[in-house]
Amino acid sequence: MPIRALPLPSLLLLVLLQATVGTAARAEDFTVRRQEVPDLKAVFGEVESRTVVPARARIGGTVRQVGVSEGSQVKEGQEIALVVDDKLALGLNAADARIKELSSQLENARTELDRAQQLLAKGVASQSRVDTAKTQFDVATNQVTAAQADRAVVLQRAREGAVLAPADGRVLTVPVTPGSVVLAGDEIARIASGPYYLRLSLPERYAATVREGGTVRIGQRGITQEAAGSPGTARPGRIVKVYPEISGGRVIADVEVDGLGDYFVNERTLVWVEIGRRPVLAVPPALVATRHGIDYVRVVTPRGPVDVPVVLGDRLAADGVERIEVLTGLRDGDALAAPGH
């Protein structure tokens, strides 16, 4: 039936449908434009702890017990091992015996001083005898005080047999076992106490492009491309330090990123570092159709839409929107339509 012969309500409905379809088609059209995107280099970063502090023995002796193992979480001041020196027990017994001996001498000196004072009061003793007795009493008192201080030193050394965690963190290694003989200062455990960060080792040719404050992208946990994902889904990190010395043809840089607390120290993960910018042609993934293993995009031409085969590259995040790079098959300025339009 000709359009002019349609009833007025049907004619209005047809016009409305045509306008809706045209608007949807125009809304989904896309014009290919060359744009600059970061040129990313995929490298491996190693998780490291900002500080690794050793828990050391403060006295020499035999390790009686070890209360932690590799991977244990510890708090600052927590006892993680006990070192015992049998000679300290003997020294403590000797100090106790010395205190008893000097205490007896002190008691005799006190008795002699009291007797001399009583005789002086009765007039049958001289003042010099009283002074001598008082001097002997003071000497005995000081000797008892010194012996008690020596005993306190022995007790403190015995207390220092407890090996304490120097900071909060995770135990990395425990190189001793119960029964091991250690000296003062020997390492009992190593504790990763600082915040975790990523250390990158880049080829020397990128030394001029890596800078402090630069943004990198950290993949998901894993060392394979499948586990790490793509730069479009990676989380951001920031380069906080670039070391001025090149060692073995490598530039060392540290990256600060949140959420590394559950990683192993020295665990590797995939990182994408920006080493420059490059021009690309990128399209929304929804405009790409795959048929029989070949990727196509629908190009709008004056003679109608044409499906053009393309070779795709990496997925990108351009201006916060996901895009997919087109290596061949398109030119700057091509207009694309959604598949099916």
Side-chain angles (χ1 to χ4, degrees):
M1 179 182 295
I3 294 180
R4 294 180 180 177
L6 290 175
L8 181 58
S10 300
L11 183 60
L12 292 176
L13 180 60
L14 179 60
V15 172
L16 180 60
L17 287 174
Q18 290 176 344
T20 303
V21 172
T23 301
R26 288 192 300 271
E28 295 186 8
D29 289 346
F30 180 81
T31 302
V32 179
R33 296 297 182 193
R34 191 176 301 275
Q35 56 185 320
E36 296 284 334
V37 298
D39 190 7
L40 302 178
K41 169 70 174 177
V43 298
F44 283 110
E46 269 194 9
V47 179
E48 294 193 9
S49 176
R50 185 65 64 186
T51 55
V52 177
V53 293
R56 299 186 182 276
R58 293 179 287 177
I59 64 171
T62 304
V63 178
R64 179 67 54 83
Q65 64 183 23
V66 179
V68 296
S69 60
E70 290 81 355
S72 300
Q73 293 286 343
V74 296
K75 297 291 185 180
E76 182 179 357
Q78 175 182 338
E79 181 177 328
I80 62 176
L82 179 63
V83 178
V84 176
D85 185 358
D86 294 334
K87 296 188 297 296
L88 293 179
L90 299 177
L92 185 61
N93 293 336
D96 289 337
R98 177 68 175 164
I99 289 175
K100 289 180 181 180
E101 176 190 357
L102 295 176
S103 296
S104 298
Q105 295 179 7
L106 177 62
E107 193 63 30
N108 291 335
R110 181 182 290 110
T111 301
E112 186 66 25
L113 177 61
D114 292 341
R115 184 181 296 113
Q117 289 176 342
Q118 292 174 3
L119 294 176
L120 178 64
K122 294 178 181 179
V124 294
S126 63
Q127 182 65 40
S128 61
R129 180 178 178 180
V130 174
D131 293 341
T132 301
K134 187 175 185 307
T135 300
Q136 292 176 348
F137 174 77
D138 292 340
V139 170
T141 301
N142 293 334
Q143 287 177 339
V144 170
T145 302
Q148 291 174 342
D150 292 339
R151 183 179 187 277
V153 171
V154 176
L155 283 177
Q156 180 61 30
R157 286 183 58 80
R159 294 190 192 100
E160 289 178 353
V163 181
L164 306 180
D168 298 350
R170 182 189 300 178
V171 178
L172 298 181
T173 58
V174 183
V176 299
T177 59
S180 300
V181 177
V182 297
L183 299 176
D186 283 354
E187 184 178 284
I188 305 300
R190 289 174 59 244
I191 300 172
S193 61
Y196 286 0
Y197 67 98
L198 282 175
R199 173 155 291 179
L200 306 181
S201 179
L202 305 173
E204 183 179 351
R205 61 181 178 273
Y206 302 131
T209 57
V210 177
R211 66 187 187 282
E212 292 185 6
T215 301
V216 300
R217 295 169 176 83
I218 295 92
Q220 301 300 317
R221 191 171 183 175
I223 60 175
T224 63
Q225 183 69 54
E226 293 77 11
S230 65
T233 59
R235 51 181 168 169
R238 185 171 60 89
I239 297 177
V240 295
K241 188 176 185 61
V242 178
Y243 290 87
E245 182 181 10
I246 295 177
S247 177
R250 313 292 290 184
V251 179
I252 307 301
D254 292 344
V255 175
E256 191 177 75
V257 58
D258 296 329
L260 293 178
D262 57 342
Y263 280 64
F264 292 101
V265 175
N266 296 330
E267 180 179 354
R268 293 190 301 165
T269 188
L270 198 58
V271 179
W272 289 272
V273 182
E274 182 178 339
I275 59 174
R277 302 186 70 84
R278 60 188 177 90
V280 299
L281 299 177
V283 300
L287 297 183
V288 180
T290 303
R291 296 192 298 272
H292 306 294
I294 301 177
D295 298 315
Y296 294 90
V297 294
R298 180 154 292 184
V299 180
V300 179
T301 67
R303 288 177 288 186
V306 177
D307 288 342
V308 176
V310 294
V311 177
L312 303 179
D314 297 329
R315 289 183 175 265
L316 310 171
D319 300 328
V321 180
E322 187 177 7
R323 295 282 188 265
I324 187 166
E325 182 181 0
V326 177
L327 301 178
T328 62
L330 291 180
R331 294 177 300 181
D332 188 17
D334 284 346
L336 305 182
H341 284 174

